[in-house]
């Protein structure tokens, strides 16, 4: 099942994309199955089929790093070492989570691949069911600290200092504040192609759903260049100013472009949170903001359609730790169905990272956002161990 491309009749917000027509035979619709598409970009990656039954045709060394038993043992020793220090979780770094020189070197090569042409990699071989809640957080943050030396506070502009987020379906509470945000990351619905704030997104799968819930990644430059060739007026609209909801309570809106072509390279950076542009079913775009133009809506939905055409599907398995270049790739998610009685509940941990050594130059329009995201004292960082809702400031 691929990310839905047609308007959800129960979603008047515009968060769910509509079909965009690219000539007589170029509309990408709900019926398009990414896993069966003929486009060469449509790969399906599953660590279980690669390493357990060998049925995958992909090259495992290109996209996967299957940890050896010795490497897993080293990681577990680092978890125990950190716990022996009796420090808060925000103290996790390369010194408090020490690894062997060989393992450090391999993790640094992951950083190079993420900021390079490959843009993503999946580390597998861990068994999250063997660890407790806190241990899984330490495993994720510890490994991630060797890939990116800064953790991002995605909601800091909105007063949310959490650096760890739980992507899992959380039923609305009957006792919840009527104003409490309950957005797509904590629902089982599909999530269209979008971009979070930050350089690198890391997802660690603690458990998987009964069905659905695949992650999709698409190269932003390829998507934008195809759009510019097919519909140059829509590509132009993405480079213009967009008014979107601000995550900060001190201002109502932000105004900036969504696309930032890099003149010194072939990179095209895209930064678009549909939640802040269209609103979501639970938090529609405020009527006080100017409505999106027809061209803007088509441009936003065209990004989704063309990304869907090119997407790589990752069927995330428990223990998989995905790292991808959030500046160079858009991502989306299938709707999913849990079966908690059978132990099937989709639950991912998310960290947002940056590596100062390899980081791209931040576009001037995003520098204040990146400053709020990354420039803070680590003592301010909050690691919620128990699952909790995304705030609107952290949502997408």
């Amino acid at each position: 099942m691929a990310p839905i491309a047609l308007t959800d009749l129960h979603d008047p917000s515009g968060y769910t994309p509509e079909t965009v027509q690219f000539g007589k035979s170029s509309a990408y619709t709900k019926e398009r199955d990414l896993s069966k598409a003929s486009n060469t970009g449509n790969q399906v990656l599953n660590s279980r089929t690669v390493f357990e039954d060998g049925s995958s045709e992909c090259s495992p060394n290109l996209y996967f790093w299957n940890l050896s038993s010795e490497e897993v043992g080293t990681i577990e020793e680092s978890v125990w070492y950190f716990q022996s220090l009796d420090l808060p979780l925000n103290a996790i770094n390369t010194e408090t989570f020490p690894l062997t020189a060989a393992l450090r070197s391999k993790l640094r090569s992951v950083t190079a691949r993420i900021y390079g042409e490959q843009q993503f990699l999946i580390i597998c071989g861990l068994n999250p069911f063997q660890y407790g809640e806190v241990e899984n957080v330490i495993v994720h943050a510890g490994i991630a600290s060797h890939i990116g030396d800064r953790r991002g506070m995605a909601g800091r502009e909105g007063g949310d200092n959490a650096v760890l987020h739980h992507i899992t379906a959380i039923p609305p509470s009957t006792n919840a504040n009527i104003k409490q945000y309950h957005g797509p990351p904590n629902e089982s619905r599909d999530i269209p192609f979008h971009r979070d704030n930050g350089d690198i997104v890391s997802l660690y799968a603690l458990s998987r759903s009964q069905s659905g819930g695949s992650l999709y990644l698409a190269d932003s430059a390829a998507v934008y260049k195809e759009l510019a060739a097919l519909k140059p007026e829509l590509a132009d609209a993405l480079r213009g100013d967009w008014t979107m909801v601000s995550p900060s309570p001190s201002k109502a809106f932000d105004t900036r472009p969504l696309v930032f072509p890099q003149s010194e390279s072939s990179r095209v950076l895209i930064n678009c949170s549909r939640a802040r542009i269209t609103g979501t079913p639970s938090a529609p775009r405020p009527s006080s903001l100017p409505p999106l133009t027809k061209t803007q809506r088509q441009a936003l939905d065209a990004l989704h359609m063309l990304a869907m055409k090119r997407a790589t599907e990752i069927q995330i398995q428990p223990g998989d730790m995905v790292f991808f270049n959030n500046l160079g790739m858009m991502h989306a998610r299938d709707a999913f169905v849990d079966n908690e009685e059978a132990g099937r509940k989709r639950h991912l941990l998310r960290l947002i990272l940056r590596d100062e050594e390899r980081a791209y130059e931040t576009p001037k329009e995003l520098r204040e956002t990146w400053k709020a995201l990354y420039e803070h004292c680590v003592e301010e960082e909050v690691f919620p161990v128990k699952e909790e809702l995304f705030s609107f400031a952290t949502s997408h």
Side-chain angles (χ1 to χ4, degrees):
M1 176 169 66
I4 294 174
L6 299 180
T7 299
D8 184 340
L9 296 178
H10 303 290
D11 177 12
S13 69
Y15 181 81
T16 304
E18 294 183 353
T19 298
V20 177
Q21 186 74 31
F22 298 104
K24 293 182 179 180
S25 61
S26 300
Y28 301 105
T29 65
K30 182 177 180 178
E31 287 73 24
R32 186 175 179 87
D33 184 346
L34 294 186
S35 65
K36 298 177 181 177
S38 60
N39 186 286
T40 55
N42 298 135
Q43 303 181 79
V44 179
L45 304 181
N46 183 315
S47 60
R48 182 169 297 174
T49 61
V50 170
F51 296 108
E52 292 186 14
D53 60 29
S55 62
S56 174
E57 296 181 357
C58 79
S59 170
N61 293 330
L62 181 60
Y63 302 105
F64 295 98
W65 169 9
N66 190 32
L67 295 165
S68 67
S69 58
E70 292 79 8
E71 289 170 334
V72 171
T74 298
I75 290 167
E76 291 176 343
E77 288 175 4
S78 295
V79 172
W80 301 329
Y81 174 75
F82 178 80
Q83 289 177 312
S84 73
L85 299 177
D86 197 25
L87 295 171
L89 293 172
N90 56 30
I92 296 174
N93 56 42
T94 57
E95 294 182 359
T96 60
F97 194 87
L99 297 171
T100 63
L103 199 45
R104 288 199 309 270
S105 177
K106 291 178 73 171
L107 286 168
R108 292 306 295 162
S109 72
V110 171
T111 308
R113 291 164 77 174
I114 293 169
Y115 277 106
E117 291 185 7
Q118 183 170 321
Q119 299 194 101
F120 75 96
L121 188 125
I122 306 160
I123 298 175
C124 48
L126 295 164
N127 184 355
F129 302 113
Q130 290 184 344
Y131 313 132
E133 292 174 326
V134 174
E135 290 173 327
N136 271 313
V137 171
I138 297 171
V139 166
H140 189 196
I143 292 173
S145 70
H146 289 267
I147 291 176
D149 55 10
R150 288 183 180 269
R151 291 184 287 261
M153 283 185 186
R156 193 181 186 203
E157 290 179 284
D160 183 349
N161 284 8
V163 294
L164 180 76
H165 299 94
H166 296 259
I167 303 177
T168 191
I170 300 177
S173 171
T174 55
N175 299 319
N177 186 310
I178 193 171
K179 294 184 178 180
Q180 186 175 27
Y181 180 68
H182 195 277
N186 297 126
E187 298 174 314
S188 59
R189 60 157 294 152
D190 59 296
I191 297 180
F193 278 95
H194 64 283
R195 294 281 287 277
D196 302 341
N197 287 331
D199 282 25
I200 299 171
V201 170
S202 174
L203 303 173
Y204 176 38
L206 302 183
S207 53
R208 60 159 298 172
S209 55
Q210 179 73 24
S211 62
S214 286
L215 170 70
Y216 294 87
L217 299 176
D219 180 82
S220 298
V223 170
Y224 176 76
K225 290 173 183 177
E226 183 173 4
L227 178 61
L230 292 170
K231 291 279 188 179
E233 71 278 13
L234 298 187
D236 289 343
L238 294 170
R239 296 197 305 270
D241 281 339
W242 292 60
T243 301
M244 60 196 77
V245 181
S246 170
S248 172
S250 63
K251 56 181 179 177
F253 61 90
D254 293 317
T255 302
R256 60 168 175 78
L258 301 187
V259 169
F260 308 91
Q262 304 294 286
S263 57
E264 75 284 357
S265 70
S266 60
R267 290 192 294 265
V268 177
L269 310 186
I270 297 178
N271 184 264
C272 66
S273 162
R274 290 190 74 104
R276 295 183 190 175
I277 298 168
T278 65
T280 66
S282 62
R285 181 181 173 93
S287 58
S288 58
L289 299 186
L292 298 177
T293 67
K294 180 180 179 181
T295 299
Q296 285 179 320
R297 285 192 174 276
Q298 288 181 338
L300 190 61
D301 291 347
L303 280 179
H304 171 82
M305 298 299 159
L306 294 176
M308 189 168 74
K309 171 190 172 186
R310 293 177 168 275
T312 293
E313 177 183 357
I314 301 176
Q315 298 173 344
I316 300 180
Q317 303 299 313
D320 286 354
M321 197 175 290
V322 184
F323 293 87
F324 64 87
N325 185 331
N326 183 59
L327 288 170
M329 307 197 85
M330 303 179 70
H331 60 286
R333 184 194 75 195
D334 269 343
F336 60 90
V337 176
D338 286 334
N339 183 350
E340 293 192 50
E341 291 183 358
R344 290 294 193 92
K345 176 178 171 60
R346 189 181 192 272
H347 189 177
L348 311 181
L349 300 181
R350 184 191 77 167
L351 289 168
I352 294 177
L353 310 169
R354 177 180 173 89
D355 183 69
E356 290 295 337
E357 180 183 341
R358 293 189 175 271
Y360 305 152
E361 182 178 356
T362 306
K364 64 180 186 301
E365 296 90 344
L366 298 177
R367 287 173 189 166
E368 286 301 312
T369 299
W370 257 238
K371 181 178 180 180
L373 187 66
Y374 291 115
E375 294 185 14
H376 58 263
C377 298
V378 295
E379 291 79 12
E380 300 176 65
E381 296 178 352
V382 175
F383 281 78
V385 173
K386 300 287 186 180
E387 62 183 49
E388 61 177 39
L389 292 171
F390 273 59
S391 65
F392 181 78
T394 64
S395 191
H396 45 261

